[in-house]
Amino acid sequence: MGRPRIKDVAEYAGVSAKTVSNVLNDYEHVSEQTRAAVREAIDVLGYRVNIAGRQLRRGRTGMIALAVPDLDIAYFAELARHVMAETERLGSTTLLLETGGRREKELAAVRGFDAQFTDGVILSPLALLPRDLADRDTRLPLVLLGECNLPGSADHVAIDNVAAAREATEHLLARGRRRIAVVGGDLRGTLNTSRLRTLGYQEALSGAGLALPDELVLPVPEFRRADGAAAARGLMRLPDRPDALLCLNDHLALGAVRALHEDGWSVPEDVDVVGFDDIEATRFSIPTITTVAPDKRGIARRAVRLLLDRIEAGAPGGPAVDETAGHRLIVRESSGA
Amino acid sequence: MPVSLKDVAAHAGVSIKTVSNVVNNYQHVTPAMRERVQRSIDALGYQPNLAARHLRKGRTGIIALALPELGNPYFAELAASVIDTAAQHDYIVLLDHTGGLREQELLVSQGFRARVIDGLILSPIELETEDLRDRAHDVPLVLLGERDYDLPYDHIAIDNVAAARAAVRHLIDLGRRDVAFIGARRGRSEPAQLRVRGWREELTAAGLPADERLVAATDGWGHADGASAMNHILDSGRRPDAVFAYNDPMAIGAMRVLHERGLRVPEDIAVVGFDDVIEGRFGAVTLTSVSPDKAAIGRLAVESVLARLHDRATEHRRVSAPYRLVERESTLGRPAAQRRTDS
């Protein structure tokens, strides 16, 4: 029979070729029934999207690059999986690269790695400066993840970091906590995500009539377990120690919990701990960790959609788009569940 | 627009050729000139176009690292050393995710990205010898990991059987007798996996039964798989006094289950993992684990790819990478917990 084509899938499923295409591109207005019929046809016939064919038709490579700081930070590994699944679903492939959170590598990403093999880039930057984005060649489609310090420079997708941190803090306040520390917090630094989350925390405190305790907002050199452990240790040695630790990612929270355990503190009895990102490890730790879960799949879908739309549009296209993905607080053992 | 060689030359008041010589590290540039050009490079934020440089040599300057599981921290930690070594040679690394599935591994090893990459480092799970024998493209290939192929490719791995034996020996030395293994692969008829084999061989050598009912097969090797395997063993009425897990995430999942069931680690059940990922150093009970020298493995992998790229006829080698057993609380126990009375 040769390689099955969209036409063959359509015939098997009893629908039009256009409908098959719509299902492949996940358009909303296809009934679940039709979707299922097409999916079955695809499975039975072993249909594979012909990437080369698409390339020839559109003069594209069919490949997008995803550049994240570090796969060691579980959030980025999980996000990368979602992005890869999404591009595969839509007939493209993702080239994954690490930047180490270093400016020169993020710059290289913004420039599409000087190579002809990607149609666009999704970048999660930590070190990029406003001028790096202002100067960029807008012919290369770019989508940024996370908070950007130059709005309007490129499409981006982020969660509402202020609201997320505010809700996490309100949860701790509702548990009667009054001395809440922010591990990784920083109102003045360059890490926008930290700054916004600290703002959300501050808003929650104001709402409860509490002042911001400077000594409880603790920046960290990196967002890894060892940094969380060191921060927790330091904080618990303060004369007026915290009764809750809002850690700005789960690695910090997991490190903090270990340090607290070593120093004889009970979590959550003596001190609540909350993290961010809902990485898999938080569901299996002892105790399990309360965390703010970003809608990782939603972030991936939106980012890929935005990028593919830009690629489709050819020219730099319209003004930069800002999309907000959802989040939710998942309460676990480390704050009393 | 990005800064070009021309901009740097104009800024420094020298020729483009001079800037190029400095950037490419040619010897015959005076220190004074080098410094002058470098000052301009720094001031303008010039980034050399590596791709162009590689293209001149007929290369792309990119190598691919194909990983079975993106979520497995062992591979993330390994990727770090691959990326570092590659960067030292002005190479960038593309990370491919195969999911450990034969279809994806085939795609990658058969040259899916042949246009884009100069070399491939692959850690295959499901590929069979025949799959690797006839490759459509001759992109230099280096293999990592547990599968043992009798094929002419560079292969860098630790001795998984010996490492597993060391882990089980540690448990036996601590007086454990009923050692379970969690993480055998489900549904594949192939020569016994190396780690299970090590488990079996060490118990047998010690005159202890290698109880196959204490071997739990799983479909995956994440926390949840470890948890379900541990539940499965305990629910079947068996009570091992030790568990050796295929990797650390599984060991951690198992420890969570033990905690939920009120079983103490290591007092009731000692636990050993594999890979020595950072997560195991920070749990409520730190995890004893076999620690492969990830830095060495990553470095050797990149060096092998580049050596073969340089000279296709280079002798193929099997490198046995170093490892050690790191003993922690999950087998040794911990100091008595301090109580703190709140004042």
Side-chain angles (χ1 to χ4, degrees):
Chain A
M1 174 178 138
R3 286 181 54 145
R5 296 155 303 166
I6 288 195
K7 193 177 121 175
D8 303 309
V9 173
E11 204 172 344
Y12 188 100
V15 301
S16 71
K18 181 70 183 136
T19 301
V20 174
S21 181
N22 286 346
V23 170
L24 288 174
N25 288 307
D26 209 41
Y27 280 13
E28 283 173 313
H29 306 294
V30 178
S31 73
E32 224 1 81
Q33 214 174 359
T34 305
R35 223 182 277 276
V38 171
R39 293 226 149 104
E40 200 209 352
I42 286 171
D43 278 350
V44 169
L45 297 176
Y47 169 79
R48 293 196 75 82
V49 175
N50 185 348
I51 292 179
R54 284 167 94 110
Q55 287 164 18
L56 293 172
R57 257 202 320 281
R58 301 186 204 161
R60 305 252 159 74
T61 64
M63 297 192 267
I64 66 157
L66 169 65
V68 298
D70 212 314
L71 289 179
D72 232 343
I73 308 279
Y75 168 77
F76 291 113
E78 292 178 15
L79 188 67
R81 267 211 325 267
H82 287 298
V83 169
M84 290 177 137
E86 188 62 13
T87 52
E88 196 183 297
R89 204 171 62 80
L90 298 175
S92 281
T93 54
T94 302
L95 305 179
L96 178 61
L97 300 106
E98 283 190 9
T99 62
R102 302 218 319 259
R103 179 168 166 251
E104 77 208 35
K105 294 214 166 167
E106 294 180 357
L107 268 170
V110 165
R111 286 183 1 217
F113 304 99
D114 295 324
Q116 304 307 309
F117 60 85
T118 54
D119 298 329
V121 177
I122 299 174
L123 170 68
S124 188
L126 291 181
L128 227 46
L129 300 173
R131 71 169 189 270
D132 298 328
L133 292 166
D135 281 347
R136 75 180 185 95
D137 183 350
T138 54
R139 285 174 302 175
L140 181 80
L142 173 69
V143 173
L144 298 176
L145 301 180
E147 298 301 334
C148 166
N149 43 9
L150 187 66
S153 56
D155 293 339
H156 72 274
V157 182
I159 63 166
D160 183 341
N161 279 290
V162 175
R166 192 178 59 232
E167 286 155 32
T169 309
E170 285 165 354
H171 161 70
L172 293 167
L173 290 166
R175 288 197 22 92
R177 302 302 186 182
R178 287 292 171 269
R179 294 273 300 160
I180 302 168
V182 184
V183 177
D186 195 348
L187 277 173
R188 284 167 282 274
T190 54
L191 267 187
N192 297 293
T193 307
S194 287
R195 198 170 42 82
L196 291 166
R197 290 177 186 177
T198 310
L199 273 173
Y201 152 86
Q202 186 177 45
E203 278 182 20
L205 291 183
S206 302
L210 294 170
L212 184 81
D214 279 318
E215 75 279 12
L216 295 187
V217 177
L218 193 62
V220 289
E222 286 192 63
F223 280 58
R224 298 177 186 277
R225 290 173 173 88
D227 305 286
R233 212 156 256 141
L235 286 164
M236 297 304 278
R237 288 191 182 136
L238 291 172
D240 194 1
R241 65 163 183 85
D243 56 13
L245 302 182
L246 174 62
C247 301
L248 296 192
N249 83 352
D250 288 334
H251 289 258
L252 292 173
L254 288 160
V257 163
R258 171 67 196 178
L260 292 166
H261 175 81
E262 278 177 16
D263 290 351
W265 300 104
S266 289
V267 175
E269 292 78 2
D270 296 325
V271 53
D272 284 348
V273 175
V274 175
F276 256 86
D277 292 341
D278 186 31
I279 64 175
E280 198 179 277
T282 57
R283 292 189 284 126
F284 294 92
S285 54
I286 298 161
T288 54
I289 309 291
T290 296
T291 183
V292 176
D295 178 7
K296 288 166 243 181
R297 188 153 169 262
I299 292 169
R301 290 193 147 200
R302 288 169 190 276
V304 172
R305 181 79 272 151
L306 280 171
L307 191 67
L308 294 181
D309 285 349
R310 288 274 170 203
I311 292 169
E312 211 63 30
V321 174
D322 228 316
E323 287 201 22
T324 304
H327 67 270
R328 61 188 180 109
L329 180 69
I330 304 178
V331 179
R332 299 200 181 108
E333 291 169 352
S334 68
S335 70
Chain B
M1 288 301 294
V3 176
S4 68
L5 267 182
K6 197 167 131 185
D7 299 324
V8 174
H11 187 276
V14 302
S15 70
I16 292 178
K17 185 67 185 141
T18 301
V19 178
S20 174
N21 288 344
V22 170
V23 166
N24 288 304
N25 271 313
Y26 284 168
Q27 285 170 315
H28 307 294
V29 177
T30 65
M33 183 61 79
R34 196 181 298 276
E35 205 187 293
R36 178 163 155 190
V37 171
Q38 190 62 51
R39 265 206 300 274
S40 295
I41 286 174
D42 293 340
L44 296 176
Y46 168 72
Q47 305 250 297
N49 187 332
L50 288 180
R53 199 194 305 177
H54 283 291
L55 277 171
R56 275 202 295 280
K57 301 185 209 164
R59 303 243 193 281
T60 64
I62 299 166
I63 60 180
L65 171 62
L67 309 173
E69 303 162 76
L70 272 183
N72 184 334
Y74 168 77
F75 291 109
E77 292 174 21
L78 179 68
S81 102
V82 168
I83 289 167
D84 274 341
T85 309
Q88 285 164 33
H89 296 273
D90 285 336
Y91 264 79
I92 61 177
V93 178
L94 286 190
L95 300 159
D96 265 322
H97 176 234
T98 65
L101 299 172
R102 178 168 172 265
E103 191 181 273
Q104 294 298 114
E105 294 179 347
L106 260 177
L107 207 61
V108 158
S109 63
Q110 291 296 341
F112 169 53
R113 297 212 200 284
R115 287 179 292 119
V116 173
I117 60 177
D118 289 335
L120 171 64
I121 301 168
L122 169 67
S123 189
I125 306 286
E126 288 192 348
L127 280 184
E128 301 298 341
T129 304
E130 311 80 66
D131 297 328
L132 285 169
R133 207 192 299 280
D134 305 307
R135 292 174 65 222
H137 283 268
D138 67 346
V139 168
L141 171 64
V142 170
L143 299 173
L144 302 179
E146 209 186 337
R147 292 294 305 269
D148 233 347
Y149 302 95
D150 188 15
L151 287 168
Y153 297 115
D154 294 321
H155 185 216
I156 297 152
I158 65 169
D159 180 342
N160 278 277
V161 175
R165 291 190 65 157
V168 175
R169 184 159 53 247
H170 171 61
L171 291 165
I172 293 172
D173 288 345
L174 291 172
R176 306 295 161 144
R177 293 285 169 267
D178 300 301
V179 181
F181 183 95
I182 60 173
R185 265 186 89 78
R186 205 193 295 284
R188 259 175 72 229
S189 58
E190 51 131 357
Q193 291 159 252
L194 304 175
R195 292 175 200 179
V196 180
R197 205 170 96 197
W199 165 87
R200 190 175 294 118
E201 284 182 10
E202 192 61 28
L203 287 169
T204 306
L208 295 167
D211 188 349
E212 299 294 336
R213 293 167 308 172
L214 286 179
V215 174
T218 56
D219 293 316
W221 298 274
H223 301 89
D225 302 287
S228 77
M230 192 73 255
N231 271 321
H232 179 79
I233 289 177
L234 295 172
D235 287 340
S236 71
R238 316 213 182 285
R239 187 55 130 69
D241 56 16
V243 172
F244 175 34
Y246 182 83
N247 69 13
D248 287 347
M250 294 192 73
I252 290 165
M255 289 200 293
R256 175 70 207 177
V257 160
L258 296 173
H259 170 80
E260 286 170 7
R261 292 191 174 219
L263 292 164
R264 298 161 305 166
V265 175
E267 294 84 350
D268 297 320
I269 303 188
V271 179
V272 180
F274 208 110
D275 289 342
D276 185 26
V277 298
I278 295 170
E279 192 183 337
R281 303 174 205 173
F282 286 88
V285 176
T286 56
L287 180 64
T288 295
S289 185
V290 175
S291 185
D293 188 342
K294 290 160 235 169
I297 294 170
R299 185 176 43 79
L300 288 165
V302 174
E303 288 172 357
S304 298
V305 169
L306 296 181
R308 185 156 308 284
L309 193 58
H310 185 70
D311 177 3
R312 299 286 169 136
T314 305
E315 191 71 28
H316 294 99
R317 51 181 192 159
R318 311 178 75 74
V319 179
S320 194
Y323 67 89
R324 60 194 180 104
L325 180 69
V326 182
E327 300 170 6
R328 298 195 180 100
E329 292 168 352
S330 67
T331 55
L332 299 181
R334 64 212 114 139
Q338 294 158 23
R339 297 293 193 76
R340 192 178 286 277
T341 49
D342 229 323
S343 45

